[in-house]
Amino acid sequence: MAESENIVAETAEKIFADLADAQTINRDKKGGWKAPLWQALSEAGLPLSWVAEDCGGSGASLAEGFSVLSAAGRFAIAVPLAETMLAGWLLSQAKIASPDGAMTIAPASPKDRIALNADGTLSGRARGVPFARDARHIAVLAQGAGGFSIALVDATSCRIEAGLNLASDGSDTVTFNNVTPVAIKPAPKGFDQDSLMLMGAVARSLQIAGALESMLEISVRYSGERVAFEKKISKFQAVQHNLARLAGETAAAMAAASSAADTIANASGFDDAVFLEATAAKIRCAEAAEKGAAIAHQVHGAIGYTLEHILHRYTMRALAWRDDFGHESYWAVELGKRVAARGADELWPLVASR
């Protein structure tokens, strides 16, 4: 990690440690922790990390922003930080200035489409949009007769149907009924919905990998404290085996997500290499989330299922993040199609090049 990435990541982690402690959040039933956290993040310029300074942002690199997402995953942050970062990044592709406040992005599923009408309004329905109810604005990728366009939309001009994901965070349905955007410009040449979904998939992969790191740390610590049959459960071979499996899943997720993030940070566009890395990361991290959550709860036993324990904050979000920007089954099919289209002779060179 470069020195600048270290500084950005350390800034994020310090804010999270001071204002997003999991035990404190668990005890705060009214959500009073959210406003101070968002204010600190905003003052540090983290929500608009990927927005150039002339568009109202911090001008951080992609790599620096990815380090923030990893840290956010380790703290299982339940505010629209990743969503605002992605929205700012999308708007920046069309040189649209980002407004202050929380944002989200639509569509958040590769199967949903937002249409750009002939009169410049937007129509369509986007499901599973994270934190739409908490957002002031929505960054939208719309498709019209002339190709893709990027728009900034006032959230109050849309119909938002409340929904929740597995972690009880907002996962809403947003309906655009001839909505007039605040600003709209053509997307760059070659930028399409796959580009947006791949970027979102890598963001979620990094968050999942970060959450798995915390699951492992919490599980190891608990196993060293919990006593059964007059000895710590960390001394039992079955528990040791499970912790080793959890460590393996965590390492695999971290490697896949980090590799995908590095590829995007150093690529000039969303080419086959980015597609391979991003889809592989989402598939592997989703698999690790499923296996890792099961292991962590098995180590903790019944206590890990209670709302009073912090473990569920990480496991439920890791599981919920699997569905955003394309779940693993969708990307597995798309990856298979891409490989098949290239032909058998191209498979090994493609894999070996990564």
Side-chain angles (χ1 to χ4, degrees):
M1 184 180 291
E3 183 178 353
S4 60
E5 293 172 51
N6 270 318
I7 294 172
V8 174
E10 287 170 4
T11 299
E13 288 182 357
K14 186 178 187 307
I15 293 173
F16 297 148
D18 291 342
L19 299 172
D21 173 69
Q23 293 286 13
T24 301
I25 291 173
N26 256 13
R27 290 192 293 266
D28 184 357
K29 305 302 181 184
K30 297 182 178 180
W33 57 274
K34 292 184 179 180
L37 172 61
W38 188 259
Q39 181 178 351
L41 292 170
S42 298
E43 289 175 353
L46 296 179
L48 298 181
S49 296
W50 285 328
V51 177
E53 293 181 9
D54 59 359
C55 286
S58 305
S61 67
L62 284 174
E64 289 168 338
F66 285 138
S67 70
V68 173
L69 293 176
S70 294
R74 287 193 291 275
F75 284 85
I77 297 303
V79 295
L81 173 60
E83 292 72 20
T84 303
M85 289 175 63
L86 286 168
W89 169 82
L90 177 60
L91 294 173
S92 293
Q93 304 305 304
K95 307 299 182 185
I96 297 175
S98 292
D100 294 330
M103 294 189 287
T104 191
I105 198 163
S109 168
K111 294 185 178 181
D112 291 338
R113 296 287 185 272
I114 308 300
L116 173 60
N117 302 318
D119 61 357
T121 60
L122 304 177
S123 297
R125 191 180 186 205
R127 299 162 296 174
V129 177
F131 295 107
R133 284 172 295 159
D134 301 310
R136 294 183 183 178
H137 293 88
I138 304 174
V140 180
L141 181 67
Q143 187 172 12
F148 287 92
S149 294
I150 295 170
L152 174 64
V153 173
D154 188 329
T156 59
S157 64
C158 307
R159 187 173 82 247
I160 300 177
E161 301 170 49
L164 297 174
N165 63 16
L166 285 173
S168 296
D169 295 330
S171 182
D172 310 314
T173 298
V174 180
T175 301
F176 300 83
N177 186 12
N178 297 319
V179 170
T180 301
V182 176
I184 186 167
K185 292 183 180 180
K189 184 178 180 180
F191 191 95
D192 57 16
Q193 190 153 325
D194 271 354
S195 305
L196 174 59
M197 293 300 120
L198 291 172
M199 186 69 172
V202 172
R204 286 299 192 240
S205 296
L206 288 165
Q207 290 177 279
I208 290 173
L212 281 163
E213 286 187 88
S214 293
M215 286 184 223
L216 176 60
E217 179 185 349
I218 293 168
S219 298
V220 169
R221 183 171 65 245
Y222 178 78
S223 70
E225 297 170 349
R226 177 75 167 91
V227 175
F229 304 106
E230 300 182 352
K231 66 178 180 179
K232 296 176 180 178
I233 64 172
S234 61
K235 302 297 183 181
F236 290 99
Q237 188 174 17
V239 174
Q240 293 174 353
H241 176 68
N242 273 342
L243 290 174
R245 288 175 56 214
L246 178 54
E249 294 296 330
T250 301
M254 289 174 60
S258 298
S259 181
D262 184 65
T263 300
I264 288 183
N266 292 288
S268 57
F270 288 84
D271 55 15
D272 279 354
V274 170
F275 185 91
L276 174 63
E277 291 277 357
T279 55
K282 188 67 188 295
I283 293 167
R284 188 62 186 89
C285 289
E287 180 182 349
E290 181 181 8
K291 294 180 179 179
I295 294 169
H297 280 291
Q298 188 173 26
V299 170
H300 280 78
I303 189 65
Y305 286 91
T306 63
L307 290 178
E308 288 75 16
H309 200 281
I310 63 172
L311 179 64
H312 73 277
R313 291 191 56 79
Y314 303 92
T315 56
M316 298 307 285
R317 283 187 176 80
L319 292 171
W321 288 332
R322 297 189 311 166
D323 291 331
D324 294 340
F325 305 104
H327 51 72
E328 64 266 34
S329 297
Y330 171 83
W331 286 121
V333 171
E334 293 302 305
L335 180 58
K337 290 179 180 177
R338 183 72 63 99
V339 170
R342 293 173 66 104
D345 292 340
E346 293 295 323
L347 174 59
W348 177 247
L350 177 65
V351 174
S353 66
R354 307 315 308 157

